[in-house]
Amino acid sequence: MTLLLYAILVFFWLLLLFYSALTVAGLWQRISSQAPEKLKGDYPNVAVLIPAHNEGVVIEDTLNAMAKLRYPGELNIYLLDDNSKDNTAEIAKEFAETFSRIHYIPVPPGYPSGKSRVLNYGLSISSSKYFVVYDADNEPEADAVEKLIETAEQTPKAAGAVGYVKTKNASANLLTRMIGLEFQVFQLLMQCGRWALFKIGSLAGTNMLLRRSVIEELGGYDPLALAEDAELTVRLTALGYVLPVVPLSRTWEQEPETMKTFIKQRTRWLNGNLYLLEKSFQDRSAWFGRTFMLSLQHVVTYLFFVLLLVVSDIFFIAGITGIGLPLVGAPLEMLWFMTYIVYVCQLLSSLVIDRNLTVKNVLLVLVMYFTYAQIFLFLLFRSVTMYTISRARKKTIVWDKTQRFKGNVE
Amino acid sequence: MEKNLKSCGLLLLVLTSGWTILVFQFPFSREIAVASAVSIVILCLIHDRYSFFYTASVIVSFGAYLIVFMFRNPSLQAWELYYITSHLLLTVFIVSSWIMISYIKNLGYETERMKRELDNMRKTQHGTDVLTPAEFASQAVYILKAAERNRKETWLLTIDIGTVGKRMRNSLLTALKQAATETIREKYDLVTSTEDKIFILLKDTDGTGAECVLRRYQDKMRGELNFVNFPFEFQKEQVFHVQQLRRFGEATV
């Protein structure tokens, strides 16, 4: 028992130190990152692909932002309408009639449904050297595409580039504020850290640029993948490509405003990652070379991390209820307390680097471990159950579109 | 109002945690009091961008020390909660001090930024017809572009009083500016000044015209000042195109 507890503690702290190292490296990368240099020759042509399914609530804002994109080369924007039943088509057609570079493309019905199939169709009807993917609720800043291209063109062996995703409705409620904070540290800061330390970037699903030749070499998107970005990252890393992270290329994205939508979205993400995890266990090549870090991260996050979170909760509850923890010769409560402190410091660092240090955000950071982080346990339980049932019944989990919200923009 | 409330709340938190550290004798309370006092001073002195690194370093270092201390003194492990409370008090004190000081510093930075923006928006210098350097540079670009198209000449007169003693400089500059606005063609030529230079941009004129303005200006100054030979420099230079103006723009802005 003592040995087991020691092993858990050591592993817990190793993991924590690893994430802290990523945070520090991410901070360093963010502070020292400069705008990419302008290209000396012509800028390559780019297709912006926007998969859309019933996006009437947000598509006007999205297309307004797309119309304002500044790019020194040829840029075409394709709104890929996946059989919308609302007024998405009407709005998109109006933009397409006005702006020569915006195109409305109805996607023929097909199976399996989802973003991967729509993107494959988008690739089949366009012919640019590069393509950028934006979700239908995204509002990229005017120079976002330009910065991605400049970085991709000047980074050796780059398959493309990945930009920064900010939350546009962070002020809507406590949930969106916490999602925004989570994005800031665990996805963006640590993403920068991974790039700084290991030269590994991962596609974010939106504000991501890829060379067409690379996706063709990979045989397109996997239509069964629910987390198509993570799945594609593994495949292109296996081929030796890199994905530089560009913090200065920013897009503003809407996050779920209700718990129900949040749970649905995150369950889909987790199902997608479980699919990827299963794939990595079946394919030994996922554990060699540059993909090792990505596969390891998946296992650590979806298997070990949840175990450690449960142990941490037991320590905490035992501590505050006065139930004696086993005497193992280690200050268990103090160690638990310091993990909490390090977690808080990681979140605070993202507030500092993104210049949104407010009393409200600091208070949220203090309670996030006890609230937001714990939802992960429920989400993982839900998605593992769903995934196992669907595998047992040999059914495919269908793509579950995230509900959009009107208004509440910062 | 909301910011004031937050600042007052933070101040109360700093004072309360400081008072608790001093009054309640938790483990290492004396060391924590010293660290807190030193931290306040350091946070006030260092630039805002380093404040978080300092705050996080103190908190994590003290935590690491406590963990090592507890491992080396297993008999004290029954009192872990007291040591955690000690750490918590230091954390609350330093974090609230950091946020409060950041607020105050940001107010200062914000004021400076707004002052700079206000200066940029201002067209003339206090109560005179002398343009602000930014406005001068902006109007001069249009004048030079127009002159370039109409094949007219534009001349720049520079009066450099950098050699004059600092005590006299301010009053002298005021007199020179006043004379400049009275010498030029009103609402036609441009005048601006920096700490030790006056720039006059003469529109649609030639070298003779510029020389004439300069002589008139010097005559006017002789009436005001007791100098036979001026202790400052006059320069006259033709400006051919906008690129050339950038040099003057950099000097004026």
Side-chain angles (χ1 to χ4, degrees):
Chain A
M1 179 67 181
T2 306
L3 202 64
L4 183 69
L5 260 175
Y6 264 115
I8 290 172
L9 272 175
V10 168
F11 191 75
F12 201 170
W13 270 90
L14 281 177
L15 201 60
L16 199 69
L17 289 174
F18 173 68
Y19 281 120
S20 300
L22 285 186
T23 309
V24 172
L27 284 170
W28 177 252
Q29 169 82 359
R30 288 285 307 279
I31 290 168
S32 56
S33 73
Q34 290 175 341
E37 280 180 31
K38 298 275 173 205
L39 299 184
K40 291 193 174 73
D42 292 339
Y43 278 67
N45 51 1
V46 182
V48 174
L49 305 180
I50 310 168
H53 176 68
N54 293 336
E55 306 285 359
V57 177
V58 289
I59 205 68
E60 186 183 329
D61 291 339
T62 303
L63 291 176
N64 267 317
M66 296 296 163
K68 288 173 193 160
L69 281 175
R70 282 197 316 264
Y71 183 68
E74 188 188 332
L75 179 86
N76 281 296
I77 297 152
Y78 300 94
L79 191 285
L80 306 166
D81 184 4
D82 184 17
N83 302 287
S84 295
K85 301 285 181 281
D86 64 355
N87 59 343
T88 303
E90 181 198 331
I91 298 168
K93 279 176 186 169
E94 206 177 319
F95 274 87
E97 281 163 14
T98 310
F99 296 97
S100 60
R101 65 180 188 181
I102 295 182
H103 312 280
Y104 170 75
I105 309 290
V107 179
Y111 181 83
S113 61
K115 191 173 168 182
S116 299
R117 186 185 67 87
V118 176
L119 286 172
N120 280 337
Y121 184 75
L123 287 167
S124 72
I125 53 96
S126 56
S127 61
S128 55
K129 183 180 176 188
Y130 282 96
F131 69 97
V132 187
V133 178
Y134 282 110
D135 283 342
D137 61 336
N138 270 232
E139 292 174 39
E141 292 182 1
D143 57 355
V145 174
E146 189 184 341
K147 291 218 158 55
L148 288 176
I149 287 285
E150 285 162 354
T151 306
E153 283 281 287
Q154 293 172 95
T155 307
K157 209 62 181 134
V162 192
Y164 205 76
V165 186
K166 302 273 286 178
T167 305
K168 67 178 170 185
N169 58 337
S171 61
N173 56 41
L174 285 180
L175 178 65
T176 54
R177 210 174 267 271
M178 286 190 187
I179 298 172
L181 286 172
E182 181 216 352
F183 258 67
Q184 271 178 227
V185 64
F186 295 107
Q187 303 209 8
L188 308 175
L189 203 54
M190 290 190 184
Q191 164 93 308
C192 283
R194 264 200 305 275
W195 174 250
L197 290 178
F198 309 111
K199 287 285 170 269
I200 288 178
S202 46
L203 297 170
T206 189
N207 201 19
M208 47 165 267
L209 172 93
L210 278 178
R211 276 177 209 271
R212 183 177 292 270
S213 57
V214 172
I215 194 87
E216 282 171 357
E217 190 181 347
L218 292 168
Y221 279 93
D222 175 355
L224 292 173
L226 292 176
E228 80 296 335
D229 42 359
E231 195 274 339
L232 199 58
T233 302
V234 174
R235 282 196 287 151
L236 61 87
T237 307
L239 285 181
Y241 289 109
V242 295
L243 282 164
V245 181
V246 195
L248 290 170
S249 165
R250 283 183 289 253
T251 187
W252 293 79
E253 176 178 87
Q254 194 181 70
E255 300 305 339
E257 291 183 11
T258 63
M259 190 53 90
K260 192 181 161 193
T261 313
F262 173 71
I263 288 171
K264 274 174 78 176
Q265 183 201 50
R266 292 303 167 102
T267 304
R268 172 166 58 79
W269 289 6
L270 282 171
N271 278 327
N273 279 298
L274 289 173
Y275 169 77
L276 196 56
L277 198 62
E278 189 191 347
K279 246 179 136 177
S280 73
F281 282 133
Q282 289 167 352
D283 181 9
R284 284 185 62 205
S285 68
W287 296 93
F288 292 103
R290 292 178 59 80
T291 43
F292 175 78
M293 280 302 293
L294 290 168
S295 302
L296 184 70
Q297 189 188 318
H298 267 96
V299 174
V300 164
T301 309
Y302 299 107
L303 292 181
F304 293 113
F305 181 74
V306 70
L307 174 73
L308 296 175
L309 192 60
V310 171
V311 172
S312 168
D313 287 350
I314 293 169
F315 281 9
F316 173 67
I317 293 166
I320 58 164
T321 54
I323 299 168
L325 286 165
L327 290 170
V328 292
L332 295 180
E333 286 165 354
M334 178 62 85
L335 283 166
W336 177 88
F337 175 71
M338 279 313 293
T339 57
Y340 169 70
I341 290 289
V342 172
Y343 172 86
V344 166
C345 282
Q346 287 174 355
L347 285 164
L348 286 178
S349 66
S350 74
L351 291 183
V352 172
I353 201 77
D354 276 344
R355 296 179 187 278
N356 52 0
L357 180 73
T358 63
V359 174
K360 202 174 200 172
N361 280 343
V362 172
L363 290 175
L364 275 182
V365 161
L366 294 177
V367 298
M368 266 181 81
Y369 175 80
F370 305 102
T371 52
Y372 189 80
Q374 301 304 322
I375 301 173
F376 186 77
L377 287 177
F378 167 71
L379 287 172
L380 196 65
F381 174 75
R382 187 173 189 259
S383 44
V384 166
T385 310
M386 273 177 75
Y387 192 80
T388 312
I389 291 171
S390 70
R391 293 291 288 150
R393 291 179 180 172
K394 295 190 173 161
K395 280 185 175 176
T396 308
I397 299 175
V398 290
W399 178 271
D400 203 354
K401 194 192 114 53
T402 306
Q403 187 197 339
R404 309 290 187 206
F405 301 86
K406 190 71 187 167
N408 286 323
V409 174
E410 269 186 335
Chain B
M1 187 64 187
E2 197 191 332
K3 277 196 172 178
N4 287 344
L5 266 177
K6 280 177 188 167
S7 306
C8 293
L10 284 167
L11 183 63
L12 278 175
L13 197 59
V14 171
L15 292 173
T16 312
S17 52
W19 177 79
T20 313
I21 290 166
L22 290 173
V23 172
F24 295 95
Q25 293 296 307
F26 284 103
F28 298 112
S29 61
R30 201 177 56 191
E31 288 80 359
I32 290 172
V34 172
S36 304
V38 171
S39 294
I40 281 266
V41 176
I42 291 175
L43 285 171
C44 286
L45 293 177
I46 59 177
H47 192 280
D48 204 33
R49 74 173 72 120
Y50 304 116
S51 301
F52 172 70
F53 291 105
Y54 174 79
T55 307
S57 305
V58 171
I59 293 169
V60 173
S61 308
F62 184 52
Y65 171 76
L66 283 182
I67 288 173
V68 174
F69 179 80
M70 299 299 273
F71 267 111
R72 294 179 71 172
N73 298 280
S75 60
L76 293 173
Q77 282 177 17
W79 305 96
E80 263 181 281
L81 279 177
Y82 287 95
Y83 288 89
I84 289 174
T85 312
S86 289
H87 190 287
L88 207 55
L89 281 173
L90 177 73
T91 304
V92 170
F93 184 87
I94 292 194
V95 169
S96 47
S97 304
W98 161 55
I99 299 171
M100 189 182 70
I101 292 168
S102 288
Y103 257 126
I104 295 168
K105 284 184 179 174
N106 279 331
L107 280 178
Y109 298 143
E110 187 73 358
T111 312
E112 274 177 27
R113 191 185 61 80
M114 287 171 76
K115 195 172 168 292
R116 270 200 308 275
E117 279 191 8
L118 194 68
D119 283 345
N120 280 337
M121 285 163 69
R122 207 175 267 141
K123 286 183 187 293
T124 56
Q125 296 180 10
H126 304 283
T128 65
D129 287 334
V130 177
L131 299 176
T132 58
E135 183 64 17
F136 177 86
S138 156
Q139 287 195 29
V141 172
Y142 289 99
I143 288 175
L144 283 170
K145 267 284 172 200
E148 213 175 301
R149 276 176 153 258
N150 301 327
R151 295 164 193 268
K152 295 279 173 73
E153 289 180 21
T154 305
W155 284 75
L156 184 87
L157 305 182
T158 308
I159 301 107
D160 186 350
I161 59 164
T163 49
V164 177
K166 279 188 179 167
R167 194 178 294 162
M168 294 302 301
R169 202 178 290 171
N170 191 273
S171 310
L172 190 60
L173 194 69
T174 309
L176 287 168
K177 281 196 288 190
Q178 178 68 24
T181 54
E182 287 167 6
T183 310
I184 61 162
R185 294 164 292 181
E186 203 180 344
K187 307 288 181 201
Y188 200 77
D189 299 323
L190 309 180
V191 183
T192 191
S193 72
T194 59
E195 275 184 10
D196 55 5
K197 283 190 182 75
I198 291 175
F199 298 95
I200 303 172
L201 195 74
L202 302 171
K203 207 161 96 176
D204 301 344
T205 188
D206 53 15
T208 321
E211 185 59 41
C212 183
V213 173
L214 190 59
R215 210 175 314 116
R216 199 164 66 229
Y217 182 66
Q218 285 170 334
D219 289 345
K220 193 160 190 63
M221 290 317 302
R222 284 203 178 86
E224 298 278 337
L225 307 171
N226 295 323
F227 294 121
V228 178
N229 295 315
F230 293 112
F232 37 84
E233 289 175 18
F234 295 91
Q235 279 175 12
K236 182 180 68 158
E237 190 173 358
Q238 185 178 356
V239 188
F240 292 97
H241 40 71
V242 181
Q243 288 294 14
Q244 195 185 348
L245 180 86
R246 295 248 159 85
R247 186 160 57 89
F248 302 116
E250 280 159 17
T252 56
V253 177

